[in-house]
Amino acid sequence: TDLISWKLETTIDPSSTYMGKSDDCWAPDMAYKNGKYYFYFSNGNVNTGVLVGKTPIGPFKDVLGKPFLPETLTPIKEYDPTVLTDDDKAKNSYIAFGHFRSADPAYYFMIAKLNEDMISLAEEPKKIVITGSAQGFGGNDKPNLHKRNGVYYLSAGTSYATSNNIYGPYIRRGYSANRNEYGLNNAAHGNFFEWNNQWFHTWCSFYLGKDVARYRESYVNYLHYKDNGDLVDDVNYLDKHGNVGIGQYSASWDKIEAEWYMAASAVSKRENATGGFSVSNTQNGDFLYFPNVKDIKAKSKIMFNVASLNGGTIEVRTQAASGRLVGTCQINSTGSLSKYQDFACELNGVKGNQNLYFIFKGGAGSVVNIDYFKFK
């Protein structure tokens, strides 16, 4: 539940499926619906199967005993599935799959609505059309679908495109991170998810060398959205603190960006004038949560870089939003919500490693926009 500590819970062996003994169990995806978990897996790049379990760790059963998406279903290759259950009124679920190559019309992604049983198709798969001249989507398998604010995002590697209709057409938007460090390239099979009002991107760094035998190193990182909906992988965090990992911080850092929180109430992450991101829409009583803040020195001060129209206070509490009060920072008006200033306060009776909550107090409207904080 902290996205830090991981435990191996189960292993699914291809021999327990229609595949039999095999080394070709490729990219999977999992979905939850009607009290059951559905594990969709690729039999190499040939076809796709599905297992069903009552918990995320199984036990899973190959209920069909044959491919869910057989190789004769469509003109393309039926592998690398992604499943999305829509958040609209109908709550329909969809599966997309395939391999896209912009220079080869024989390679493309397809999509189909699933029946409520999640193990049969409600319709014939349709081709996903990708248009637009932006960079990205040169050649990718393992598509991924997610949705935010009514917009559907079709991703593969760090390429992505968007549409207002789940079937498309999708318009190229570019890259979430146009870099090759950390495996952020076309081979970065991944997923996007929202948890505790924070967005995350997970992906693999794909090693093809003989010495590592196709080892895939996994990453989880903060994901942001620009005001126009563009995806932004927080490579800044990876550059500075990727060796630490998300959800843990140090009081010795030069600053801790507000958008790196691990939980929050109904606040927003928005672009700021510096080109980065700030946390905005902090209403009276809202909070940000930063667990595992390490090496806080006794009698420290905490400084917030904020913008505020009417002023207010930021309470610093430990362990819970209603936990022990260890500091109260008075915030004066900076004149606008785009003019940032520093405000500091002393921390009382707190040192070492702490789970910190910041509680915003003020009148009507947004109390502050917060860019970052640091310890002094």
Side-chain angles (χ1 to χ4, degrees):
T1 55
D2 59 9
L3 300 186
I4 297 173
S5 304
W6 298 89
K7 176 186 175 184
L8 177 63
E9 295 282 1
T10 192
T11 300
I12 301 173
D13 194 285
S15 63
S16 65
T17 76
Y18 70 87
M19 289 175 62
K21 184 176 176 59
S22 174
D23 294 328
D24 289 328
C25 193
W26 288 11
D29 198 9
M30 184 178 279
Y32 172 79
K33 196 168 191 179
N34 301 327
K36 295 180 180 179
Y37 294 84
Y38 301 87
F39 184 83
Y40 302 87
F41 60 94
S42 300
N43 176 17
N45 64 352
V46 178
N47 53 48
T48 291
V50 58
L51 305 176
V52 183
K54 293 182 179 180
T55 76
I57 61 175
F60 288 99
K61 182 179 180 181
D62 184 353
V63 293
L64 297 178
K66 61 181 181 180
F68 167 57
L69 303 178
E71 55 265 41
T72 57
L73 180 64
T74 75
I76 68 168
K77 294 179 179 293
E78 285 76 12
Y79 77 111
D80 278 11
T82 178
V83 176
L84 172 68
T85 297
D86 210 333
D87 61 0
D88 60 8
K89 185 176 181 180
K91 299 295 189 296
N92 289 320
S93 299
Y94 302 84
I95 187 167
F97 55 92
H99 186 161
F100 177 86
R101 294 183 187 175
S102 58
D104 191 335
Y107 286 82
Y108 49 89
F109 298 134
M110 300 195 78
I111 186 171
K113 183 166 69 174
L114 293 163
N115 284 316
E116 279 296 299
D117 63 10
M118 300 292 282
I119 59 172
S120 61
L121 298 181
E123 61 187 5
E124 293 293 322
K126 302 175 177 63
K127 179 180 179 179
I128 297 177
V129 175
I130 302 174
T131 66
S133 58
Q135 290 183 312
F137 278 114
N140 311 75
D141 58 9
K142 191 58 178 89
N144 178 266
L145 285 170
H146 79 277
K147 186 181 181 184
R148 175 183 178 268
N149 291 347
V151 177
Y152 298 93
Y153 287 78
L154 174 67
S155 306
T158 55
S159 302
Y160 72 99
T162 59
S163 176
N164 292 323
N165 188 311
I166 193 166
Y167 292 102
Y170 285 83
I171 301 173
R172 288 181 177 87
R173 297 286 289 268
Y175 302 103
S176 59
N178 190 12
R179 307 186 36 145
N180 283 317
E181 292 107 321
Y182 318 109
L184 284 168
N185 53 37
N186 283 352
H189 292 182
N191 203 346
F192 302 85
F193 68 97
E194 185 182 21
W195 185 70
N196 291 336
N197 196 23
Q198 174 67 283
W199 278 92
F200 298 91
H201 182 193
T202 70
W203 72 92
C204 66
S205 180
F206 202 166
Y207 293 89
L208 293 174
K210 294 181 180 179
D211 293 339
V212 289
R214 292 182 176 268
Y215 177 72
R216 301 192 186 196
E217 184 178 62
S218 297
Y219 285 80
V220 183
N221 193 29
Y222 306 106
L223 177 79
H224 312 308
Y225 293 83
K226 291 185 177 181
D227 294 348
N228 66 0
D230 284 354
L231 296 180
V232 179
D233 280 305
D234 200 327
V235 180
N236 178 48
Y237 181 84
L238 292 174
D239 287 342
K240 293 184 176 181
H241 311 299
N243 61 323
V244 176
I246 62 171
Q248 38 200 344
Y249 318 85
S250 174
S252 65
W253 292 357
D254 60 340
K255 62 180 178 179
I256 300 172
E257 298 288 349
E259 65 268 23
W260 295 344
Y261 63 81
M262 286 298 288
S265 52
V267 301
S268 303
K269 290 188 294 182
R270 300 291 298 273
E271 291 180 84
N272 61 30
T274 64
F277 291 84
S278 297
V279 172
S280 64
N281 192 33
T282 57
Q283 306 291 312
N284 181 54
D286 282 345
F287 71 88
L288 296 179
Y289 176 48
F290 290 83
N292 306 301
V293 181
K294 301 175 182 179
D295 305 319
I296 301 174
K297 296 179 180 179
K299 299 181 180 179
S300 291
K301 288 186 177 181
I302 188 169
M303 189 202 78
F304 295 95
N305 183 253
V306 302
S308 180
L309 190 59
N310 299 311
T313 60
I314 301 177
E315 295 180 351
V316 183
R317 296 180 178 269
T318 60
Q319 298 303 119
S322 59
R324 183 167 62 94
L325 180 66
V326 297
T328 301
C329 288
Q330 182 65 45
I331 308 298
N332 299 326
S333 172
T334 64
S336 77
L337 288 173
S338 59
K339 184 179 180 181
Y340 287 80
Q341 295 180 12
D342 295 336
F343 296 91
C345 61
E346 293 184 354
L347 296 177
N348 301 308
V350 58
K351 65 178 181 179
N353 303 338
Q354 299 288 336
N355 299 325
L356 297 182
Y357 283 81
F358 303 145
I359 316 300
F360 304 98
K361 298 289 186 177
S366 182
V367 179
V368 299
N369 288 352
I370 173 171
D371 189 3
Y372 62 85
F373 65 96
K374 62 182 180 180
F375 295 85
K376 302 171 64 178

